[in-house]
Amino acid sequence: MNIPGDLKYTEGHEWVRVEGNVGYVGITDHAQHELGDIVYVELPEIDTEIESKEEATNIESVKAAAPVYSPVSGKIVKINEDLEDNSELMNTDAYGAYIFAVEMSDLSELDSLMDADAYKEFLEKE
Amino acid sequence: MFSYLPQTEKDIKEMLEVIGVDSIDELFKDIPKEILQKTPLNIPKGIAEYEVYKRMTELAQKNRQGLSFMGSGSYDHIIPSVVGHVLQMPNFYTAYTPYQAEISQGILQSIFEFQTLICELTGMEVSNASLYDDHTAASEAITMAVNTRKKADRILVSGTIHPNTRAVIETFFSDIPVKIEEIKTENYVTSLDAVKDTIDESVAAVLIQTPNFYGWAEDLTGLADLVHEHKALLIISSNPMSLGILKSQADWGADIAIGGTQPFGLSTYFGGPSVGYISTSTKNTRKMPGRIVGQTKDVDGKRAFVLTLQAREQHIKRQRATSNICSNQALAAMGSGIYLSTVGWKGLKEASSQSFQKAHYLYKRLTEELGLKAIAEQDFFNEFTLVIPDADRVLTDMESQGIFAGVGLGQFFPDLKDAVSIAVTEKRTKEEMDAYVELMKRVLK
Amino acid sequence: MSSKLIFEMSSVGRTGYRFPDIDVPDLPLKDQIKPSLLRESVPELPEVSEVDIIRHYNSLSKKNFGVDAGFYPLGSCTMKYNPKINEDVGNFSGFSGIHPLQSEESVQGFLEMLYETTKSLCEITGMKWGTLQPYAGAHGEYTGMKFFKSYFRKKGELNRTKVLVPTSAHGTNPASATIAGFHIEEIQADERGLVSVESLKSQLSEDVAGIMLTNPNTLGLFEKDIIEIAKLVHEVGGLLYYDGANMNAIMGKVRPGDMGFDVIHLNLHKTMSTPHGGGGPGSGPVLVSERLVDFMPTPDVKKNDDGYYFDYNIPDTMGRVAGFYGNMAVLVRAYAYIITMGSDGLKKASEYAVLNANYLKERLKKTYHLYYDTTCMHEFVLSAKKMKEEYGISALDIAKGLLDHGYHPPTIYFPSIVPESIMIEPTETESKETLDGFVDTMLEIYQLAVDDPEKLHEAPLHTAVRRVDEVLAVKQPILKWNAE
């Protein structure tokens, strides 16, 4: 299972890539594997204010639906419109295909997220 | 003894041996002794099929049929004989929900056709496979609007919708933070001014019924623009038989079209089953409740149909589902589909316009010759409401002579105890209507 | 062979039905109604002959499978035989030709039937009274949750916002509780597959309205601790809801009311033999204990010296849950079934349902992995997890393999707490020969999984269509026919 070392992770199987004060959010390899072929993602609206652990969007496969929670609080400043027609990118390129990006209001929230090793351990326990 | 229980003594003995117990009772050992039933159920023992037939005949004979001029959401239309014959085809009515697409293409295709027919009539882009009835469809449509307009929590509901729809909605939203508000009426139709006075961006949806509960065909000019200006959704509920003559919900600018398809191929049957329909534009597809059939291909490239977009539904979303609906009105919806396919547009126009013409004929005779007054001077489709003094007695007297003359509205609204709503369908003849008028003349004296 | 859509069979000018000629003046519409109210668009409805209609649907019915055609061991669905006398009496014009708003005096037959049906269902379930309004099981669950809300509103305890639901529950349970205004909290199962009483104890707080259970549960196992569970929930002031989907296991043996349940719904299209109709119409009556009767939906059917009547005067009613009184055509069939079977027949039905299930279980567990190896009730669950690991064959592959042999597959992937689950419920209307035939086929399929798994990945081969592309259906939704 692929778990890049430079990202932060949540128990809900989301990852965050930090670029300055913007956090790019996607779902992990484990999550896409569990869901199966992803057929649809409901992209959030730009400028939406979001809280950490608040539901940002929803991903669908044929047989499942999963909420995606934002790992950080802030304002949504970017969404990955590629996913509208190519939702399968989340399967083939889980860590390259971000879903939305948050201009973070509280960078210290990142400290409570898991790093790659912790996430690996977490997956082994599940 | 019981023809639906094929087990013989020999079978039972052999099965118990394989299982490794001495008696069937042992299989129930997990039931705590203190609650295990020791006496038989206190209902009569089973009877022979012929005795069932006699008992049901006895019950049916305690109901009385008459010449029906009753409406209020349930209409006595002509039903082509093919409808019943198709519905009795065993692999339709004894079939399960079509989850296994490979052996359910019959049902799936018929639902796909039903969805298409509903879209054609309402002018909308997508439809689902049915809801329970038009009244519960209203709750579902409002839920769709609430989920679309996340921060808006007011719902404006016309004072002219069917009171039973109003009751269903109020119960449904009684524990949900959504406020149901009544739009004032004027002359027994929705007042556009009243909507203007109260609508703002806190309104998620406006619900209108046309033809309305009194039968009046509402003029909704300007309503859609007003509703959309305030970012709300317009939900229009219509008797689909009226869509043979009257403007479709899409033509009025509705976002969601709902109603009940009982007038298409289903008997009145004391109120059920009916079939609720719901249709909307493509962008709202994922908010629609219930099953939806889609077209796809199989591994050989053959066209095939399948239940799709299931990620909306309760078996996947569970507590996050926006609707809990599982079983719907499938077979009854199929009946309505068969009806529409059989009569076609030509036939639907015929049934619809005859219903219209005959209702206007009766209206004319009752108002001009008997001097009865309508509750309001309004356009109507096949149903109208008159003021009839001493309505209860009149209806009872007419009934005793075999004519169910209308629906007394006093049972719904105490201050309308002399209002009677009268519906006429293509099934009624001039002779029957003339008899109605003659009898009404005598009864009114 | 591909069936044409009815729209594709259309030919301009063809007629499927002749209405009587109009016998009143056919006056211009625009003289009788404002022209701006008239329809402008022309819908594309098919123009076909009656022969076309019959051939079309006949061909469709050949591409479909029903209980009349063969075995349907669908766990949780109770696909028992649909008696034909029920269809005959269901079609009486003395039932179908009645308007819902006719005078009470003219519908005494229906009112008597509704009253007697409610009474019988109460006796079968051990409850006090009920409503036949809900149109389906899920609708009954919603109604049941409204009973909860009404009860707590009257007591001034609307702080009770939580309903506990097992992880193995049918999806409609949490969905129904949510739309009725509750939040869900899941209860874990223990290693027996039953509700963990210890877990439950830790979750019973002042904000719990109650618990939704089914018994036997969705694994086909009887919740042995039910008396204690009921006591614990009642002690904190909560109520118990019974999902009656599995009622077929216990008629005449034990009653939910006696287990301690306060509200129950039944699925008449399961337990009481009414046809599934390809997904409906069903009927989900709700029966309640004494303390909840006051909140009954309006109207209630009552009896006095003059006969039967609708009572609209229920001060604490929850209101209406349906437009009229329920799926009447379904209720007629259910009533006919109840009087056909009676106290002795219903008990036998449950006994033989449980017998058939245990027999199948014993014969299959030698080959397949029985997830909980214990006495089951009317259904049991196998798991194909090991087969997936060893042979690459999933529950789906086994299901598709069965299609080629003329069986409807069992329920798969529910309940989700069992990986690669296959839930089998034979019902009592199947003979030992049918069960043995099914076992033979299941063993054949297992052997195929071992010897030649690719064959199962390709199954079915002989059905009207083969495996369908569900991903395509979602990614490129085509939800209706479009005129080119």
Side-chain angles (χ1 to χ4, degrees), chain B residues 209-254:
Chain B
Q209 178 187 322
T210 180
N212 70 23
F213 177 64
Y214 304 96
W216 311 135
E218 304 220 358
D219 185 345
L220 304 179
T221 309
L223 180 63
D225 287 340
L226 176 63
V227 172
H228 294 144
E229 218 180 283
H230 297 273
K231 299 209 174 63
L233 275 72
L234 178 58
I235 306 169
I236 300 179
S237 177
S238 292
N239 168 357
M241 185 60 82
S242 73
L243 301 177
I245 302 194
L246 300 184
K247 248 180 152 115
S248 72
Q249 290 110 322
D251 286 339
W252 283 123

Side-chain angles (χ1 to χ4, degrees), chain B residues 360-380:
Chain B
H360 284 74
Y361 171 80
L362 185 62
Y363 178 89
K364 199 159 187 275
R365 291 206 63 194
L366 290 175
T367 50
E368 287 177 10
E369 288 171 46
L370 271 57
L372 293 170
K373 286 224 164 3
I375 201 173
E377 293 287 309
Q378 297 287 0
D379 287 319
F380 61 95

